[in-house]
Amino acid sequence: MKKRIGILTSGGDCPGLNCVIRAVVSHATLTYNWEVVGIPYATQGLLEQKTVPLSIHGWDLRGIDPLINMGGTILGSINKGDTLASASEILTGYEALGLDALIAVGGDGSLKIIHELATLGNWHLVAIPKTIDNDVALTERSIGFDTAVNTIVDAINRLTFTAASHDRVMIIEVMGRTAGHLALHSGIAGGADVILIPEVPYTIKGLCDHLTQLRDRWQRKFAIVVVAEGANPCLDDLENGDSCTTSKCGRGQYIADQIASCSSNLVDTRVSVLGHIQRGGIPSALDRLIATVYGKTAVDLIAQEKYDQMLAWQNGQAVAVPIQDALDKSPSLVNPQGELVQIAHSLGIYIGDN
Ligand code: F6P
């Protein structure tokens, strides 16, 4: 029987979402001869009973397929609002669209909401993890993470040369409110001297001693500090009841102020907050590949009528795990005793007092 399947993207956007859409449409059309419709703006589209026709042909007059390298999502996305308050309208909308199954691409927050709706409405749901934070549990990789890491590494490269030219401590604030994967991966890959993440406590003394040692022992007059937006205040300020939350003041500026006040030498600091630049850009080859494998495998799961599953990247391949298991274990945080933190310590990167 010819199926009609829907696909939506939910939560914060990231590079690689259009690659999933492309793979789903191609495989569902060519292999199974199904119809695929896009749901615009995630649950908002369901509520408004709207669909976007998706076809493997006709993206471009010359035959170029822009979905392979276009950032963002052609379906639009939402990442706020009390969706569950409108649950009954959304369930009615889903029924009206006559879908046989739904593929939802989202982070742990939006997948949780969609999974709850799917349970209420008995939807045939397959989930695909995406988030530049890479904090969805049970998967080594979520779509968007690799591109964001590359974007940050590129920024670190650029900032290193200007920092070195002016003997400055350059502080680079990156995304990651609860998980430090982005800061840790990009900091190691970019050659940072300091990496501060929510999962690992640090002290300003430890940080300043490290910068002093860089200068006095190794004659390095500049330094690169990567700080996650959700890195905690230093231990001393936590004990003093620091009230500076990430929504009130940037962690990058906080660290710059602390560094400036901890040395008798004048330390010239500059702060770059990368912000949503990290969510944009052309998807990396790895993100395209993972997105394509996820999209293709999601269609196959529907063909096998295996629902309530999330695709996960484990040992270099896509496997299906129960959505609920992934949600129960999310967010997946950096292990302070884990290999990458140990590697950072071994390389002489300050990431917290040893
Ligand atoms: O969840 C991904 C994320 O990029 C976070 O790292 C960041 O704090 C947040 O989204 C920003 O979201 P918004 O688009 O709502 O500003």
Side-chain angles (χ1 to χ4, degrees):
M1 201 191 75
K2 181 165 176 154
K3 285 189 194 293
R4 174 176 158 92
I5 62 173
I7 178 165
L8 60 80
T9 50
S10 189
D13 74 325
C14 63
L17 295 173
N18 293 322
C19 298
V20 185
I21 298 168
R22 176 177 181 267
V24 166
V25 175
S26 299
H27 190 43
T29 310
L30 296 173
T31 309
Y32 297 104
N33 192 30
W34 295 343
E35 181 192 4
V36 184
V37 292
I39 315 289
Y41 298 98
T43 48
Q44 191 61 31
L46 293 174
L47 192 143
E48 294 173 4
Q49 304 182 15
K50 285 191 179 148
T51 58
V52 177
L54 294 171
S55 147
I56 53 169
H57 301 296
W59 295 115
D60 178 282
L61 284 178
R62 297 155 299 176
I64 295 171
D65 184 350
L67 293 188
I68 193 84
N69 57 13
M70 193 197 287
T73 163
I74 57 160
L75 294 176
S77 189
I78 50 167
N79 65 349
K80 51 180 158 312
D82 187 1
T83 308
L84 290 173
S86 320
S88 66
E89 288 105 308
I90 294 171
L91 296 179
T92 307
Y94 187 91
E95 284 293 313
L97 295 181
L99 300 176
D100 294 300
L102 177 69
I103 298 174
V105 192
D108 62 331
S110 47
L111 288 182
K112 183 168 183 286
I113 292 166
I114 292 168
H115 186 237
E116 278 182 55
L117 289 165
T119 309
L120 288 172
N122 289 317
W123 303 351
H124 292 155
L125 178 67
V126 175
I128 294 180
K130 67 86 223 168
T131 164
I132 68 163
D133 294 336
N134 210 36
D135 58 354
V136 177
L138 301 186
T139 181
E140 289 156 20
R141 293 202 164 261
S142 290
I143 296 165
F145 177 63
D146 184 65
T147 308
V149 169
N150 282 304
T151 301
I152 300 169
V153 169
D154 178 61
I156 296 174
N157 289 342
R158 292 163 194 260
L159 291 165
T160 297
F161 288 99
T162 172
S165 302
H166 293 274
D167 298 346
R168 282 175 173 154
V169 175
M170 194 63 79
I171 294 130
I172 303 152
E173 182 184 304
V174 303
M175 281 186 169
R177 281 171 296 187
T178 50
H181 301 289
L182 266 182
L184 184 57
H185 284 243
S186 61
I188 292 175
D193 303 296
V194 174
I195 302 172
L196 303 176
I197 58 175
E199 297 89 336
V200 182
Y202 62 94
T203 60
I204 292 300
K205 182 175 182 318
L207 170 58
C208 288
D209 285 353
H210 184 74
L211 295 176
T212 304
Q213 196 183 50
L214 267 183
R215 189 191 59 215
D216 295 348
R217 183 166 173 206
W218 304 109
Q219 283 74 54
R220 270 280 305 284
K221 294 183 189 147
F222 76 94
I224 299 294
V225 177
V226 175
V227 53
E229 63 181 332
N232 287 314
C234 67
L235 285 177
D236 307 341
D237 278 359
L238 272 179
E239 277 158 21
N240 295 336
D242 172 89
S243 60
C244 177
T245 61
T246 48
S247 58
K248 280 204 260 166
C249 71
R251 270 305 129 190
Q253 190 56 52
Y254 168 82
I255 295 299
D257 294 345
Q258 299 292 325
I259 291 173
S261 65
C262 73
S263 166
S264 47
N265 298 312
L266 198 61
V267 183
D268 199 12
T269 58
R270 289 290 186 278
V271 181
S272 287
V273 180
L274 298 191
H276 289 76
I277 285 173
Q278 296 159 93
R279 290 244 295 263
I282 296 174
S284 69
L286 183 58
D287 270 332
R288 295 181 198 202
L289 189 87
I290 293 170
T292 302
V293 175
Y294 279 165
K296 185 261 180 200
T297 313
V299 171
D300 287 338
L301 285 181
I302 293 171
Q304 296 155 21
E305 306 199 330
K306 284 194 190 155
Y307 302 120
D308 252 3
Q309 302 290 306
M310 185 192 84
L311 288 165
W313 197 257
Q314 295 179 1
N315 303 316
Q317 58 180 2
V319 297
V321 299
I323 299 177
Q324 193 61 57
D325 288 1
L327 295 177
D328 287 346
K329 295 187 170 79
S330 293
S332 148
L333 304 180
V334 170
N335 175 0
Q337 274 78 46
E339 197 183 3
L340 275 189
V341 173
Q342 299 314 319
I343 286 174
H345 282 304
S346 318
L347 292 179
I349 299 170
Y350 179 79
I351 188 168
D353 299 340
N354 234 335

